[in-house]
mmCIF file of all heavy atoms in Angstrom:
data_model
loop_
_atom_site.group_PDB
_atom_site.id
_atom_site.type_symbol
_atom_site.label_atom_id
_atom_site.label_comp_id
_atom_site.label_asym_id
_atom_site.label_seq_id
_atom_site.Cartn_x
_atom_site.Cartn_y
_atom_site.Cartn_z
ATOM 1 N N ARG Y 1 -4.886 -13.080 16.359
ATOM 2 C CA ARG Y 1 -5.648 -13.563 17.507
ATOM 3 C C ARG Y 1 -6.254 -14.935 17.262
ATOM 4 O O ARG Y 1 -6.889 -15.497 18.143
ATOM 5 C CB ARG Y 1 -6.762 -12.566 17.848
ATOM 6 C CG ARG Y 1 -6.236 -11.200 18.322
ATOM 7 C CD ARG Y 1 -7.389 -10.344 18.840
ATOM 8 N NE ARG Y 1 -6.930 -9.002 19.143
ATOM 9 C CZ ARG Y 1 -7.249 -7.929 18.419
ATOM 10 N NH1 ARG Y 1 -8.006 -8.068 17.338
ATOM 11 N NH2 ARG Y 1 -6.810 -6.751 18.761
ATOM 12 N N ARG Y 2 -6.080 -15.468 16.052
ATOM 13 C CA ARG Y 2 -6.671 -16.765 15.746
ATOM 14 C C ARG Y 2 -5.979 -17.877 16.548
ATOM 15 O O ARG Y 2 -4.890 -17.703 17.085
ATOM 16 C CB ARG Y 2 -6.566 -17.069 14.252
ATOM 17 C CG ARG Y 2 -7.447 -16.146 13.407
ATOM 18 C CD ARG Y 2 -7.343 -16.521 11.937
ATOM 19 N NE ARG Y 2 -7.933 -17.815 11.679
ATOM 20 C CZ ARG Y 2 -9.219 -18.002 11.439
ATOM 21 N NH1 ARG Y 2 -10.045 -16.989 11.422
ATOM 22 N NH2 ARG Y 2 -9.685 -19.213 11.197
ATOM 23 N N GLN Y 3 -6.607 -19.033 16.599
ATOM 24 C CA GLN Y 3 -6.048 -20.155 17.333
ATOM 25 C C GLN Y 3 -4.743 -20.611 16.690
ATOM 26 O O GLN Y 3 -4.504 -20.383 15.508
ATOM 27 C CB GLN Y 3 -7.044 -21.316 17.330
ATOM 28 C CG GLN Y 3 -8.308 -21.017 18.136
ATOM 29 C CD GLN Y 3 -7.981 -20.745 19.593
ATOM 30 O OE1 GLN Y 3 -7.228 -21.492 20.197
ATOM 31 N NE2 GLN Y 3 -8.540 -19.677 20.151
ATOM 32 N N PRO Y 4 -3.859 -21.274 17.442
ATOM 33 C CA PRO Y 4 -2.606 -21.763 16.877
ATOM 34 C C PRO Y 4 -2.851 -22.645 15.657
ATOM 35 O O PRO Y 4 -3.827 -23.388 15.601
ATOM 36 C CB PRO Y 4 -1.993 -22.575 18.030
ATOM 37 C CG PRO Y 4 -2.595 -21.985 19.253
ATOM 38 C CD PRO Y 4 -3.990 -21.567 18.877
ATOM 39 N N VAL Y 5 -1.934 -22.535 14.715
ATOM 40 C CA VAL Y 5 -2.062 -23.288 13.480
ATOM 41 C C VAL Y 5 -1.919 -24.774 13.744
ATOM 42 O O VAL Y 5 -1.059 -25.205 14.497
ATOM 43 C CB VAL Y 5 -0.965 -22.829 12.491
ATOM 44 C CG1 VAL Y 5 -1.020 -23.660 11.233
ATOM 45 C CG2 VAL Y 5 -1.167 -21.357 12.161
ATOM 46 N N SER Y 6 -2.758 -25.595 13.110
ATOM 47 C CA SER Y 6 -2.709 -27.020 13.379
ATOM 48 C C SER Y 6 -2.758 -27.871 12.135
ATOM 49 O O SER Y 6 -2.945 -29.064 12.219
ATOM 50 C CB SER Y 6 -3.883 -27.400 14.296
ATOM 51 O OG SER Y 6 -5.118 -27.106 13.669
ATOM 52 N N SER Y 7 -2.600 -27.284 10.952
ATOM 53 C CA SER Y 7 -2.574 -28.073 9.733
ATOM 54 C C SER Y 7 -1.994 -27.249 8.613
ATOM 55 O O SER Y 7 -1.889 -26.034 8.727
ATOM 56 C CB SER Y 7 -3.990 -28.512 9.348
ATOM 57 O OG SER Y 7 -4.688 -27.422 8.784
ATOM 58 N N PRO Y 8 -1.591 -27.902 7.511
ATOM 59 C CA PRO Y 8 -1.064 -27.143 6.386
ATOM 60 C C PRO Y 8 -2.053 -26.120 5.868
ATOM 61 O O PRO Y 8 -1.680 -25.003 5.534
ATOM 62 C CB PRO Y 8 -0.783 -28.228 5.344
ATOM 63 C CG PRO Y 8 -0.623 -29.483 6.110
ATOM 64 C CD PRO Y 8 -1.536 -29.349 7.290
ATOM 65 N N ARG Y 9 -3.338 -26.469 5.807
ATOM 66 C CA ARG Y 9 -4.315 -25.517 5.295
ATOM 67 C C ARG Y 9 -4.513 -24.355 6.264
ATOM 68 O O ARG Y 9 -4.703 -23.215 5.854
ATOM 69 C CB ARG Y 9 -5.646 -26.228 5.026
ATOM 70 C CG ARG Y 9 -5.567 -27.199 3.856
ATOM 71 C CD ARG Y 9 -6.880 -27.945 3.677
ATOM 72 N NE ARG Y 9 -7.956 -27.056 3.285
ATOM 73 C CZ ARG Y 9 -8.244 -26.738 2.022
ATOM 74 N NH1 ARG Y 9 -7.494 -27.215 1.050
ATOM 75 N NH2 ARG Y 9 -9.257 -25.949 1.728
ATOM 76 N N ARG Y 10 -4.431 -24.638 7.574
ATOM 77 C CA ARG Y 10 -4.541 -23.533 8.517
ATOM 78 C C ARG Y 10 -3.287 -22.675 8.498
ATOM 79 O O ARG Y 10 -3.349 -21.477 8.726
ATOM 80 C CB ARG Y 10 -4.785 -24.066 9.932
ATOM 81 C CG ARG Y 10 -6.186 -24.645 10.108
ATOM 82 C CD ARG Y 10 -6.553 -24.753 11.559
ATOM 83 N NE ARG Y 10 -7.866 -25.311 11.700
ATOM 84 C CZ ARG Y 10 -8.662 -25.081 12.735
ATOM 85 N NH1 ARG Y 10 -8.260 -24.286 13.682
ATOM 86 N NH2 ARG Y 10 -9.843 -25.638 12.803
ATOM 87 N N ARG Y 11 -2.140 -23.304 8.254
ATOM 88 C CA ARG Y 11 -0.915 -22.503 8.163
ATOM 89 C C ARG Y 11 -1.020 -21.490 7.043
ATOM 90 O O ARG Y 11 -0.364 -20.460 7.054
ATOM 91 C CB ARG Y 11 0.301 -23.405 7.958
ATOM 92 C CG ARG Y 11 0.841 -23.975 9.254
ATOM 93 C CD ARG Y 11 2.311 -24.339 9.098
ATOM 94 N NE ARG Y 11 2.523 -25.289 8.038
ATOM 95 C CZ ARG Y 11 2.374 -26.589 8.158
ATOM 96 N NH1 ARG Y 11 1.969 -27.084 9.301
ATOM 97 N NH2 ARG Y 11 2.620 -27.391 7.142
ATOM 98 N N MET Y 12 -1.859 -21.759 6.041
ATOM 99 C CA MET Y 12 -2.050 -20.819 4.964
ATOM 100 C C MET Y 12 -2.607 -19.497 5.486
ATOM 101 O O MET Y 12 -2.358 -18.432 4.932
ATOM 102 C CB MET Y 12 -2.981 -21.388 3.898
ATOM 103 C CG MET Y 12 -2.999 -20.552 2.622
ATOM 104 S SD MET Y 12 -3.927 -21.315 1.294
ATOM 105 C CE MET Y 12 -5.599 -20.977 1.812
ATOM 106 N N CYS Y 13 -3.346 -19.542 6.599
ATOM 107 C CA CYS Y 13 -3.886 -18.314 7.185
ATOM 108 C C CYS Y 13 -2.740 -17.377 7.551
ATOM 109 O O CYS Y 13 -2.795 -16.174 7.308
ATOM 110 C CB CYS Y 13 -4.710 -18.626 8.430
ATOM 111 S SG CYS Y 13 -6.173 -19.617 8.102
ATOM 112 N N MET Y 14 -1.673 -17.941 8.172
ATOM 113 C CA MET Y 14 -0.545 -17.110 8.568
ATOM 114 C C MET Y 14 0.177 -16.579 7.359
ATOM 115 O O MET Y 14 0.640 -15.442 7.345
ATOM 116 C CB MET Y 14 0.402 -17.908 9.464
ATOM 117 C CG MET Y 14 -0.237 -18.351 10.771
ATOM 118 S SD MET Y 14 0.935 -19.164 11.877
ATOM 119 C CE MET Y 14 1.977 -17.793 12.319
ATOM 120 N N SER Y 15 0.285 -17.400 6.312
ATOM 121 C CA SER Y 15 0.919 -16.935 5.089
ATOM 122 C C SER Y 15 0.109 -15.813 4.459
ATOM 123 O O SER Y 15 0.656 -14.839 3.968
ATOM 124 C CB SER Y 15 1.056 -18.093 4.098
ATOM 125 O OG SER Y 15 1.868 -19.095 4.631
ATOM 126 N N MET Y 16 -1.222 -15.944 4.490
ATOM 127 C CA MET Y 16 -2.057 -14.905 3.922
ATOM 128 C C MET Y 16 -1.994 -13.637 4.762
ATOM 129 O O MET Y 16 -2.130 -12.536 4.252
ATOM 130 C CB MET Y 16 -3.501 -15.400 3.809
ATOM 131 C CG MET Y 16 -3.680 -16.491 2.767
ATOM 132 S SD MET Y 16 -3.057 -16.008 1.138
ATOM 133 C CE MET Y 16 -4.134 -14.610 0.794
ATOM 134 N N GLU Y 17 -1.765 -13.791 6.082
ATOM 135 C CA GLU Y 17 -1.582 -12.602 6.922
ATOM 136 C C GLU Y 17 -0.373 -11.819 6.435
ATOM 137 O O GLU Y 17 -0.428 -10.607 6.264
ATOM 138 C CB GLU Y 17 -1.372 -13.010 8.374
ATOM 139 C CG GLU Y 17 -0.996 -11.833 9.271
ATOM 140 C CD GLU Y 17 -0.474 -12.281 10.621
ATOM 141 O OE1 GLU Y 17 -0.528 -13.464 10.925
ATOM 142 O OE2 GLU Y 17 0.001 -11.405 11.351
ATOM 143 N N LYS Y 18 0.727 -12.530 6.201
ATOM 144 C CA LYS Y 18 1.939 -11.863 5.719
ATOM 145 C C LYS Y 18 1.699 -11.240 4.356
ATOM 146 O O LYS Y 18 2.074 -10.100 4.098
ATOM 147 C CB LYS Y 18 3.092 -12.868 5.644
ATOM 148 C CG LYS Y 18 4.348 -12.274 5.009
ATOM 149 C CD LYS Y 18 5.444 -13.285 4.943
ATOM 150 C CE LYS Y 18 6.524 -12.849 3.983
ATOM 151 N NZ LYS Y 18 6.962 -11.476 4.190
ATOM 152 N N CYS Y 19 1.063 -12.010 3.467
ATOM 153 C CA CYS Y 19 0.737 -11.518 2.133
ATOM 154 C C CYS Y 19 -0.084 -10.237 2.235
ATOM 155 O O CYS Y 19 0.167 -9.270 1.542
ATOM 156 C CB CYS Y 19 -0.048 -12.568 1.355
ATOM 157 S SG CYS Y 19 0.869 -13.256 -0.016
ATOM 158 N N CYS Y 20 -1.089 -10.275 3.106
ATOM 159 C CA CYS Y 20 -1.976 -9.126 3.259
ATOM 160 C C CYS Y 20 -1.186 -7.892 3.699
ATOM 161 O O CYS Y 20 -1.328 -6.822 3.134
ATOM 162 C CB CYS Y 20 -3.062 -9.453 4.281
ATOM 163 S SG CYS Y 20 -4.087 -8.038 4.736
ATOM 164 N N TRP Y 21 -0.336 -8.077 4.707
ATOM 165 C CA TRP Y 21 0.396 -6.920 5.245
ATOM 166 C C TRP Y 21 1.336 -6.332 4.198
ATOM 167 O O TRP Y 21 1.369 -5.125 3.997
ATOM 168 C CB TRP Y 21 1.192 -7.335 6.478
ATOM 169 C CG TRP Y 21 1.836 -6.117 7.086
ATOM 170 C CD1 TRP Y 21 3.085 -5.667 6.910
ATOM 171 C CD2 TRP Y 21 1.192 -5.175 7.935
ATOM 172 N NE1 TRP Y 21 3.276 -4.504 7.590
ATOM 173 C CE2 TRP Y 21 2.129 -4.183 8.231
ATOM 174 C CE3 TRP Y 21 -0.085 -5.077 8.463
ATOM 175 C CZ2 TRP Y 21 1.827 -3.097 9.043
ATOM 176 C CZ3 TRP Y 21 -0.372 -4.005 9.277
ATOM 177 C CH2 TRP Y 21 0.577 -3.039 9.558
ATOM 178 N N ILE Y 22 2.094 -7.179 3.523
ATOM 179 C CA ILE Y 22 3.063 -6.689 2.544
ATOM 180 C C ILE Y 22 2.373 -5.985 1.380
ATOM 181 O O ILE Y 22 2.718 -4.875 0.999
ATOM 182 C CB ILE Y 22 3.938 -7.838 2.023
ATOM 183 C CG1 ILE Y 22 4.848 -8.349 3.141
ATOM 184 C CG2 ILE Y 22 4.776 -7.399 0.832
ATOM 185 C CD1 ILE Y 22 5.647 -9.578 2.780
ATOM 186 N N TRP Y 23 1.364 -6.660 0.835
ATOM 187 C CA TRP Y 23 0.744 -6.108 -0.369
ATOM 188 C C TRP Y 23 -0.231 -4.988 -0.056
ATOM 189 O O TRP Y 23 -0.358 -4.034 -0.822
ATOM 190 C CB TRP Y 23 0.078 -7.225 -1.171
ATOM 191 C CG TRP Y 23 1.124 -8.059 -1.817
ATOM 192 C CD1 TRP Y 23 1.628 -9.257 -1.388
ATOM 193 C CD2 TRP Y 23 1.874 -7.736 -2.986
ATOM 194 N NE1 TRP Y 23 2.632 -9.694 -2.222
ATOM 195 C CE2 TRP Y 23 2.794 -8.781 -3.214
ATOM 196 C CE3 TRP Y 23 1.852 -6.664 -3.876
ATOM 197 C CZ2 TRP Y 23 3.671 -8.790 -4.277
ATOM 198 C CZ3 TRP Y 23 2.733 -6.664 -4.942
ATOM 199 C CH2 TRP Y 23 3.633 -7.713 -5.130
ATOM 200 N N CYS Y 24 -0.947 -5.077 1.058
ATOM 201 C CA CYS Y 24 -1.867 -3.990 1.392
ATOM 202 C C CYS Y 24 -1.113 -2.696 1.643
ATOM 203 O O CYS Y 24 -1.628 -1.616 1.393
ATOM 204 C CB CYS Y 24 -2.699 -4.348 2.618
ATOM 205 S SG CYS Y 24 -4.024 -5.519 2.280
ATOM 206 N N SER Y 25 0.114 -2.803 2.163
ATOM 207 C CA SER Y 25 0.904 -1.606 2.415
ATOM 208 C C SER Y 25 1.308 -0.929 1.126
ATOM 209 O O SER Y 25 1.686 0.224 1.115
ATOM 210 C CB SER Y 25 2.145 -1.957 3.243
ATOM 211 O OG SER Y 25 3.029 -2.749 2.500
ATOM 212 N N ARG Y 26 1.237 -1.639 0.004
ATOM 213 C CA ARG Y 26 1.649 -1.072 -1.276
ATOM 214 C C ARG Y 26 0.450 -0.601 -2.107
ATOM 215 O O ARG Y 26 0.600 0.159 -3.045
ATOM 216 C CB ARG Y 26 2.425 -2.110 -2.096
ATOM 217 C CG ARG Y 26 3.649 -2.655 -1.380
ATOM 218 C CD ARG Y 26 4.334 -3.710 -2.230
ATOM 219 N NE ARG Y 26 5.354 -4.401 -1.481
ATOM 220 C CZ ARG Y 26 6.033 -5.437 -1.941
ATOM 221 N NH1 ARG Y 26 5.811 -5.892 -3.141
ATOM 222 N NH2 ARG Y 26 6.949 -6.014 -1.196
ATOM 223 N N LEU Y 27 -0.728 -1.111 -1.833
ATOM 224 C CA LEU Y 27 -1.876 -0.847 -2.695
ATOM 225 C C LEU Y 27 -2.900 -0.006 -1.950
ATOM 226 O O LEU Y 27 -3.033 -0.085 -0.746
ATOM 227 C CB LEU Y 27 -2.515 -2.173 -3.141
ATOM 228 C CG LEU Y 27 -1.581 -3.187 -3.784
ATOM 229 C CD1 LEU Y 27 -2.321 -4.481 -4.055
ATOM 230 C CD2 LEU Y 27 -0.999 -2.634 -5.074
ATOM 231 N N ARG Y 28 -3.646 0.781 -2.690
ATOM 232 C CA ARG Y 28 -4.668 1.614 -2.088
ATOM 233 C C ARG Y 28 -5.933 1.581 -2.937
ATOM 234 O O ARG Y 28 -5.971 1.024 -4.018
ATOM 235 C CB ARG Y 28 -4.170 3.074 -1.946
ATOM 236 C CG ARG Y 28 -3.071 3.247 -0.882
ATOM 237 C CD ARG Y 28 -3.569 2.863 0.485
ATOM 238 N NE ARG Y 28 -2.583 3.050 1.510
ATOM 239 C CZ ARG Y 28 -1.760 2.093 1.905
ATOM 240 N NH1 ARG Y 28 -1.783 0.914 1.335
ATOM 241 N NH2 ARG Y 28 -0.887 2.329 2.863
ATOM 242 N N GLY Y 29 -6.989 2.270 -2.442
ATOM 243 C CA GLY Y 29 -8.209 2.392 -3.205
ATOM 244 C C GLY Y 29 -8.901 1.065 -3.418
ATOM 245 O O GLY Y 29 -8.985 0.229 -2.524
ATOM 246 N N LEU Y 30 -9.382 0.857 -4.616
ATOM 247 C CA LEU Y 30 -10.125 -0.352 -4.951
ATOM 248 C C LEU Y 30 -9.276 -1.594 -4.769
ATOM 249 O O LEU Y 30 -9.762 -2.636 -4.332
ATOM 250 C CB LEU Y 30 -10.618 -0.268 -6.403
ATOM 251 C CG LEU Y 30 -11.410 -1.487 -6.922
ATOM 252 C CD1 LEU Y 30 -12.665 -1.687 -6.093
ATOM 253 C CD2 LEU Y 30 -11.751 -1.282 -8.395
ATOM 254 N N ALA Y 31 -7.996 -1.491 -5.113
ATOM 255 C CA ALA Y 31 -7.101 -2.637 -4.975
ATOM 256 C C ALA Y 31 -7.026 -3.086 -3.527
ATOM 257 O O ALA Y 31 -7.082 -4.278 -3.219
ATOM 258 C CB ALA Y 31 -5.703 -2.277 -5.467
ATOM 259 N N LEU Y 32 -6.925 -2.144 -2.610
ATOM 260 C CA LEU Y 32 -6.850 -2.472 -1.179
ATOM 261 C C LEU Y 32 -8.119 -3.191 -0.727
ATOM 262 O O LEU Y 32 -8.063 -4.204 -0.030
ATOM 263 C CB LEU Y 32 -6.645 -1.198 -0.367
ATOM 264 C CG LEU Y 32 -6.647 -1.344 1.156
ATOM 265 C CD1 LEU Y 32 -5.585 -2.316 1.605
ATOM 266 C CD2 LEU Y 32 -6.449 0.004 1.803
ATOM 267 N N LYS Y 33 -9.270 -2.679 -1.145
ATOM 268 C CA LYS Y 33 -10.523 -3.303 -0.751
ATOM 269 C C LYS Y 33 -10.609 -4.734 -1.270
ATOM 270 O O LYS Y 33 -11.098 -5.631 -0.591
ATOM 271 C CB LYS Y 33 -11.695 -2.473 -1.272
ATOM 272 C CG LYS Y 33 -11.799 -1.090 -0.635
ATOM 273 C CD LYS Y 33 -12.947 -0.304 -1.253
ATOM 274 C CE LYS Y 33 -13.008 1.105 -0.670
ATOM 275 N NZ LYS Y 33 -14.079 1.904 -1.283
ATOM 276 N N MET Y 34 -10.103 -4.967 -2.500
ATOM 277 C CA MET Y 34 -10.159 -6.293 -3.090
ATOM 278 C C MET Y 34 -9.298 -7.266 -2.310
ATOM 279 O O MET Y 34 -9.721 -8.378 -1.978
ATOM 280 C CB MET Y 34 -9.680 -6.237 -4.553
ATOM 281 C CG MET Y 34 -9.731 -7.579 -5.271
ATOM 282 S SD MET Y 34 -8.991 -7.479 -6.905
ATOM 283 C CE MET Y 34 -10.019 -6.206 -7.631
ATOM 284 N N VAL Y 35 -8.078 -6.858 -1.981
ATOM 285 C CA VAL Y 35 -7.165 -7.736 -1.252
ATOM 286 C C VAL Y 35 -7.720 -8.070 0.127
ATOM 287 O O VAL Y 35 -7.757 -9.223 0.547
ATOM 288 C CB VAL Y 35 -5.767 -7.086 -1.125
ATOM 289 C CG1 VAL Y 35 -4.872 -7.916 -0.220
ATOM 290 C CG2 VAL Y 35 -5.128 -6.946 -2.499
ATOM 291 N N VAL Y 36 -8.163 -7.060 0.835
ATOM 292 C CA VAL Y 36 -8.691 -7.279 2.188
ATOM 293 C C VAL Y 36 -9.913 -8.185 2.150
ATOM 294 O O VAL Y 36 -10.077 -9.087 2.988
ATOM 295 C CB VAL Y 36 -9.025 -5.931 2.854
ATOM 296 C CG1 VAL Y 36 -9.759 -6.160 4.163
ATOM 297 C CG2 VAL Y 36 -7.745 -5.140 3.098
ATOM 298 N N TYR Y 37 -10.773 -7.973 1.178
ATOM 299 C CA TYR Y 37 -11.965 -8.812 1.062
ATOM 300 C C TYR Y 37 -11.589 -10.264 0.842
ATOM 301 O O TYR Y 37 -12.110 -11.175 1.492
ATOM 302 C CB TYR Y 37 -12.844 -8.328 -0.085
ATOM 303 C CG TYR Y 37 -13.981 -9.275 -0.420
ATOM 304 C CD1 TYR Y 37 -15.112 -9.340 0.374
ATOM 305 C CD2 TYR Y 37 -13.892 -10.140 -1.511
ATOM 306 C CE1 TYR Y 37 -16.142 -10.220 0.087
ATOM 307 C CE2 TYR Y 37 -14.911 -11.024 -1.807
ATOM 308 C CZ TYR Y 37 -16.029 -11.063 -1.011
ATOM 309 O OH TYR Y 37 -17.022 -11.945 -1.290
ATOM 310 N N LEU Y 38 -10.648 -10.510 -0.077
ATOM 311 C CA LEU Y 38 -10.251 -11.884 -0.376
ATOM 312 C C LEU Y 38 -9.607 -12.555 0.826
ATOM 313 O O LEU Y 38 -9.905 -13.707 1.156
ATOM 314 C CB LEU Y 38 -9.291 -11.910 -1.566
ATOM 315 C CG LEU Y 38 -9.924 -11.618 -2.934
ATOM 316 C CD1 LEU Y 38 -8.841 -11.449 -3.986
ATOM 317 C CD2 LEU Y 38 -10.864 -12.738 -3.329
ATOM 318 N N VAL Y 39 -8.715 -11.851 1.500
ATOM 319 C CA VAL Y 39 -8.033 -12.436 2.657
ATOM 320 C C VAL Y 39 -9.035 -12.729 3.769
ATOM 321 O O VAL Y 39 -8.992 -13.784 4.411
ATOM 322 C CB VAL Y 39 -6.922 -11.495 3.159
ATOM 323 C CG1 VAL Y 39 -6.339 -12.028 4.463
ATOM 324 C CG2 VAL Y 39 -5.826 -11.377 2.121
ATOM 325 N N THR Y 40 -9.946 -11.805 4.002
ATOM 326 C CA THR Y 40 -10.953 -12.018 5.037
ATOM 327 C C THR Y 40 -11.825 -13.216 4.705
ATOM 328 O O THR Y 40 -12.146 -14.036 5.574
ATOM 329 C CB THR Y 40 -11.832 -10.764 5.177
ATOM 330 O OG1 THR Y 40 -10.995 -9.639 5.444
ATOM 331 C CG2 THR Y 40 -12.821 -10.931 6.330
ATOM 332 N N LEU Y 41 -12.213 -13.336 3.441
ATOM 333 C CA LEU Y 41 -13.048 -14.455 3.027
ATOM 334 C C LEU Y 41 -12.340 -15.785 3.227
ATOM 335 O O LEU Y 41 -12.891 -16.734 3.785
ATOM 336 C CB LEU Y 41 -13.434 -14.281 1.549
ATOM 337 C CG LEU Y 41 -14.246 -15.422 0.914
ATOM 338 C CD1 LEU Y 41 -15.595 -15.541 1.614
ATOM 339 C CD2 LEU Y 41 -14.429 -15.172 -0.570
ATOM 340 N N ILE Y 42 -11.067 -15.855 2.787
ATOM 341 C CA ILE Y 42 -10.314 -17.112 2.854
ATOM 342 C C ILE Y 42 -10.078 -17.528 4.297
ATOM 343 O O ILE Y 42 -10.274 -18.677 4.682
ATOM 344 C CB ILE Y 42 -8.973 -16.962 2.107
ATOM 345 C CG1 ILE Y 42 -9.236 -16.794 0.601
ATOM 346 C CG2 ILE Y 42 -8.079 -18.189 2.332
ATOM 347 C CD1 ILE Y 42 -8.040 -16.299 -0.158
ATOM 348 N N THR Y 43 -9.663 -16.584 5.128
ATOM 349 C CA THR Y 43 -9.300 -16.943 6.506
ATOM 350 C C THR Y 43 -10.509 -17.163 7.396
ATOM 351 O O THR Y 43 -10.362 -17.601 8.540
ATOM 352 C CB THR Y 43 -8.395 -15.870 7.124
ATOM 353 O OG1 THR Y 43 -9.062 -14.605 7.032
ATOM 354 C CG2 THR Y 43 -7.073 -15.820 6.407
ATOM 355 N N SER Y 44 -11.697 -16.842 6.908
ATOM 356 C CA SER Y 44 -12.904 -17.095 7.696
ATOM 357 C C SER Y 44 -13.411 -18.519 7.537
ATOM 358 O O SER Y 44 -14.316 -18.942 8.253
ATOM 359 C CB SER Y 44 -14.008 -16.119 7.286
ATOM 360 O OG SER Y 44 -14.412 -16.362 5.952
ATOM 361 N N LEU Y 45 -12.832 -19.263 6.587
ATOM 362 C CA LEU Y 45 -13.264 -20.634 6.368
ATOM 363 C C LEU Y 45 -12.787 -21.536 7.507
ATOM 364 O O LEU Y 45 -11.808 -21.241 8.188
ATOM 365 C CB LEU Y 45 -12.710 -21.154 5.038
ATOM 366 C CG LEU Y 45 -13.123 -20.373 3.777
ATOM 367 C CD1 LEU Y 45 -12.413 -20.944 2.559
ATOM 368 C CD2 LEU Y 45 -14.623 -20.460 3.585
#
């Protein structure tokens, strides 16, 4: 739902979305919380 990407650094948000989906689907428990926290932190900048 974020705004369209407009720079290389913003394009990283879309890459992290893909990263999040692929890796979160494989990890659970504490690992899942760590990944989600990091992705949320990075993409909120």
Side-chain angles (χ1 to χ4, degrees):
R1 295 189 187 109
R2 292 182 68 86
Q3 293 299 313
V5 176
S6 61
S7 76
R9 291 176 66 88
R10 289 198 181 207
R11 277 204 302 277
M12 191 173 77
C13 296
M14 297 185 69
S15 298
M16 291 306 298
E17 173 194 352
K18 174 180 164 49
C19 248
C20 172
W21 185 263
I22 292 174
W23 287 99
C24 284
S25 67
R26 303 178 190 174
L27 307 175
R28 290 299 182 267
L30 179 61
L32 176 58
K33 294 177 183 178
M34 181 186 302
V35 173
V36 172
Y37 170 77
L38 288 171
V39 173
T40 304
L41 176 63
I42 293 165
T43 55
S44 66
L45 300 176

